[in-house]
Amino acid sequence: MNRREFIRIVGGATAFLAFPEVLLAGTKLTLGKASSRTAVIWLQGQSCSGDSVSLLNAGDPDIATLLTNHISLHFHQTLSTATGDTAINVLLKTLDEGKKDYILVVEGSIPQKSEAFCTIGEVEGKPRGVHEWVTLLAKNAKAVVAVGTCATYGCIPGARLRSGGENPTGAASVWSVLPNAKQINIPGCPAHPDWIIGSLVHLIMGKRLKLDAYGRPLLYYKSTVHDKCEHLQEYRHDRFADSWGDKGCLYRLGCLGIDSNCDIPVRKWLGVNSCTGCGGGCIGCTEPVFPDTGVRGLFPMKKA
Amino acid sequence: MSKIIIDPISRIEGHLSIELDVDAGVVKSARVRGDMFRGFEQILIGRNPFDAVQIAQRICGVCPISHGIESSRCVENACGATPNKNGRLLRNLALASNYLQSHILHFYHLAALDFVDITAILAYSGNDEKLNYLKAWAKSEFAGKKAGVDAMTACAPFLPRYTGEGFYIKDAEFNIAAIAHYVQGLGIRMKAHRMVALFAGRVPHAIGLVAGGMAKTPDKATVERAGTILSEISNFVNTAYTPDVVALAKTLPAYAEIGKFGDFLAYGEFPDGPEPGDLYFPRGIVSAGKRQAFDPSKITEQVLHSRYSSPSNLHPSQGQTEPQPDKQGAYTWIKAPRYGGKPMEVGPLARIMVGYSAGNPDIKKEVDTFTAAAGLTLAQLQSAIGRHAARAIESKLLCRKIAGWLEQVDVGQKPRTECAIPETGEGVGLGEAARGALGHWISVKNGKIDRYQCIVPTTWNASPCDDSGIPGPMEQALAGVPVSDEKNPMEAARIVRTFDPCLACAIHCVKAGRELARFRVC
């Protein structure tokens, strides 16, 4: 990968936002040697697979290019052909051989109350919990990346119960298992594919990824949704929507764009739409407090 | 008799494993195990009912649109509101587009690797730039990865795989076409998601789905753009997907004789007119070949073999769920829903069979066309290959319906009906996810969610043995399946994948408690 290609990828469709000096046309793909592809082991804990589906929606590079030219995806429950022991043996052999050349990606939260709440495969006749897999595989990984808000902060599986009482599974972020690890967080429910791929490419290239206080790459999470919002002018002119489907800034409908950091209004989902642009509003899914924003939850109104 | 465990089953959504008792190379009995639990409904209690649409979508990243729509429907039902014409059409567009995404993903990217020989690319001699790139990639992988885990992961994630005689199709032309369509399909399924995002803002987990309809007034540019994307998807469905499934049916005739179940349930989907009964895919039951009307009061959930300490055989609206990870005799987190005491298959094949028996002319025509082309009888369609066929048939039907719905959208008109959350109320939303019948139930107290509950497609299909010892549909479909090599139980894994299981959906904590009769079926 050359510098131009790197810049194109980490900037994604909106390279010019991160690097105003470069407005690049697509560079021709050159196939590297097998050794140039970094091994990635992608574990799913208590997840909905939404971040994996989001990854499939990658635009540039697309998923086929990512899988063939940038990474070597050794384990992924949704994408690997390998099933059962054929798949688990890859993980066991990675541990046995003391491999150190892989990136561990975790999607989904980790249950603290019982290993039985989430298991992947059997080892010596006993189901092995995701908690144990993460502990073992993180030890030698050259980086651990939490993708999606479940893995980064606990999200809905780890939500506070309004009815009182403990969370049923004690779901928590991947860092609850790895308290001493350096946190690289790609939150979002789901995370945008550009954020996932751009961050991975930084790690693969050995480039420094500047992070904010919540472990998020500043490249993607520096500004608030509000700062880049399609409705910013309407907000400034006090034009507010009071019901979904009305014109105007969505603040009164509970939009959390003022308090939430990401670049979706300009980056767009699948290049065509955004949470604010579609009239629903930001629900703050990139924030550690999601979905327990204060006492109110996601939407404050009783009529809309 | 020997015991085989396949854990994890990959290329599905979530954490699923199966345990097989095999005798003389044939599966005698099977236990399907769901290996992950979160507790969604408890998390919903005490929140604003408007929040439910967003939170419930997070049950599943593959079928969020269906969860969002059923959640909206149950909230609307509690509010006494019905979506207006635009709300109904825009939802249909988002949901149908997600069906296309889901079906194409399932066939090419999840299931096809069970029969397509991916290594055929090494012998490719044509001029296609992408295929030559893949060939060079595969060669560089084998050349550069020689020993240990490196050798094992050459060409990952496509290899390693089960190895055995006759597992993969030998016809080079078929394999190369399938590989080309695998790659093309990645782009097509992404575009189907782009169509969802045009209407619903984001996918997975659409922000634009709200109680009452959709959040944004449709404009001309959006409708036109969707039309352009649709024509590309439609072309793929007609020239690649459908012929590939026909070719598969012809190449693997044994696939039409195994993986059978036979009793089908569909709640119906795609409201195609203002009346509640105007559903494009009809609602109903087909049991032992006979059509029956659907009666929601006949559903119960049994837990003898599920890891819950709560009482069994309750109606879902009165269901309780207390997790007990170490329960004796339990082997799964999935409950066993039963209809009139019987397990039911749900999903595309169920929709097609219910639609066919109801005499739906579109469904009948496409099913007859498919069976004629593939040389199958209607009975043979109720099989492993039939599940693939049903998805392709639905995709074809939905491409045509989407075009019609796009024309009917009233550009510039309101996308929804306003909703006011009542102090107390109850509601139900019944419809169809890509994977089958999906129901959401809500009860509201003091303007907040008091109880919330879902019964989802994979709970039906991957259900365990019930209290009377009757195995679930997937377990029954596995019985009788040959296993030629116990170390490479390919045939069994194939059967499981034909159901397109979605485990994140199947396992959730049910905490509910009102009679269903009090819910108005919307």
Side-chain angles (χ1 to χ4, degrees), chain A residues 229-236 239 248-250 276-279:
Chain A
C229 183
E230 300 91 332
H231 299 288
L232 191 57
Q233 287 309 315
E234 292 168 309
Y235 170 84
R236 287 184 175 146
R239 288 198 291 269
C249 165
L250 304 164
T276 40
C278 76

Side-chain angles (χ1 to χ4, degrees), chain B residues 382-467:
Chain B
Q382 298 169 51
S383 63
I385 192 68
R387 296 189 188 95
H388 290 299
R391 289 185 191 93
I393 290 167
E394 276 196 346
S395 301
K396 211 169 165 186
L397 292 169
L398 287 175
C399 281
R400 283 209 291 267
K401 283 309 275 187
I402 291 172
W405 290 326
L406 283 171
E407 280 179 18
Q408 291 174 44
V409 168
D410 290 327
V411 166
Q413 299 298 311
K414 269 187 92 77
R416 61 186 289 270
T417 306
E418 289 195 4
C419 293
I421 302 294
E423 272 302 292
T424 54
E426 279 147 3
V428 57
L430 296 178
E432 292 279 328
R435 288 163 185 75
L438 174 65
H440 280 224
W441 288 261
I442 193 172
S443 83
V444 180
K445 207 166 146 186
N446 300 324
K448 292 187 168 154
I449 299 171
D450 186 43
R451 290 188 179 86
Y452 200 95
Q453 178 199 358
C454 331
I455 300 183
V456 309
T458 300
T459 316
W460 286 99
N461 289 339
S463 66
C465 265
D466 57 32
D467 299 2

Side-chain angles (χ1 to χ4, degrees), chain A residues 28-35 37 44-51 53-54 56-59 62-65 67-69 71-91 93-94 97 99 101 109 111 114 116-122 127 130 155-163 167-169 188-190 243-246 269-283 285 290-292 296-304, chain B residues 5-15 33 35-40 42-51 54-55 57-62 101 105 109-110 113-114 129-130 133-134 136-137 140-141 143-145 147-150 152-153 156-162 168 182-183 186 189-191 193-194 197-205 207-208 210-211 214-217 225 229 307 323 325 333 414-421 446-448 487-488 493 497 504 509:
Chain A
K28 190 164 164 53
L29 194 63
T30 44
L31 186 69
K33 285 184 180 162
S35 56
R37 292 162 214 137
Q44 293 176 335
Q46 292 168 293
S47 86
C48 69
S49 303
D51 298 296
V53 174
S54 186
L56 291 177
N57 288 343
D62 63 13
I63 186 72
T65 309
L67 294 179
T68 52
N69 208 33
I71 66 169
S72 178
L73 189 60
H74 285 195
F75 184 91
H76 190 296
Q77 274 154 275
T78 322
L79 293 175
S80 289
T81 300
T83 244
D85 288 346
T86 315
I88 291 300
N89 285 343
V90 172
L91 299 182
K93 206 147 178 138
T94 301
E97 290 180 8
K99 297 296 266 187
D101 55 356
S109 54
S114 166
F117 284 125
C118 184
T119 62
I120 305 170
E122 291 198 353
V130 70
C155 197
I156 289 172
R160 185 165 62 78
L161 295 192
R162 300 287 159 139
S163 52
N167 179 287
T169 65
C189 192
S243 185
W244 285 302
D246 288 353
W269 295 105
L270 290 124
V272 294
N273 212 341
S274 74
C275 307
T276 40
C278 76
C282 170
I283 58 169
C285 74
F290 180 75
D292 288 316
R296 71 166 226 208
L298 303 179
F299 300 109
M301 64 286 181
K302 287 288 171 203
K303 185 170 182 277
Chain B
I5 289 166
I6 313 181
D7 183 4
I9 300 272
S10 64
R11 286 180 281 120
I12 59 153
E13 192 298 321
H15 301 70
R33 313 183 302 197
D35 300 327
M36 191 272 278
F37 173 84
R38 288 173 295 176
F40 253 79
Q42 284 170 315
I43 287 158
L44 277 157
I45 293 168
R47 291 175 189 265
N48 186 343
F50 281 136
D51 288 11
Q54 280 305 319
I55 294 193
Q57 283 191 72
R58 268 79 183 170
I59 289 173
C60 179
V62 187
Q101 186 281 141
L105 176 80
H109 310 115
L110 305 185
L113 298 167
D114 283 340
E129 199 185 340
K130 275 188 182 153
Y133 167 80
L134 276 182
W137 170 74
S140 79
E141 285 281 299
K145 295 179 167 182
V149 75
D150 288 343
M152 238 168 147
T153 55
F158 307 106
L159 298 175
R161 60 179 180 179
Y162 282 151
Y168 304 99
Y182 178 106
V183 176
L186 284 169
R189 65 144 293 284
M190 187 264 271
K191 283 175 183 167
H193 255 181
R194 182 171 282 159
L198 275 174
F199 296 106
R202 154 168 96 178
V203 65
H205 307 325
I207 292 285
V210 292
M214 298 279 271
K216 195 179 175 190
T217 300
R225 188 154 186 194
I229 300 172
R307 295 193 186 104
W333 286 109
K414 269 187 92 77
R416 61 186 289 270
T417 306
E418 289 195 4
C419 293
I421 302 294
N446 300 324
K448 292 187 168 154
K487 290 231 175 307
N488 293 280
R497 285 196 190 95
C509 184

Side-chain angles (χ1 to χ4, degrees), chain A residues 4 21 40 49 96 100 125 159 178 186 194-195 204 225 263 277 291:
Chain A
R4 286 164 70 86
E21 77 279 16
V40 171
S49 303
D96 280 355
K100 292 188 163 79
L178 308 169
I186 320 292
D194 290 356
W195 305 341
I204 291 166
V225 169
D263 59 7

Side-chain angles (χ1 to χ4, degrees), chain B residues 234-247:
Chain B
S234 199
N235 185 42
F236 181 80
V237 167
N238 292 323
T239 62
Y241 186 15
T242 308
D244 282 351
V245 178
V246 170

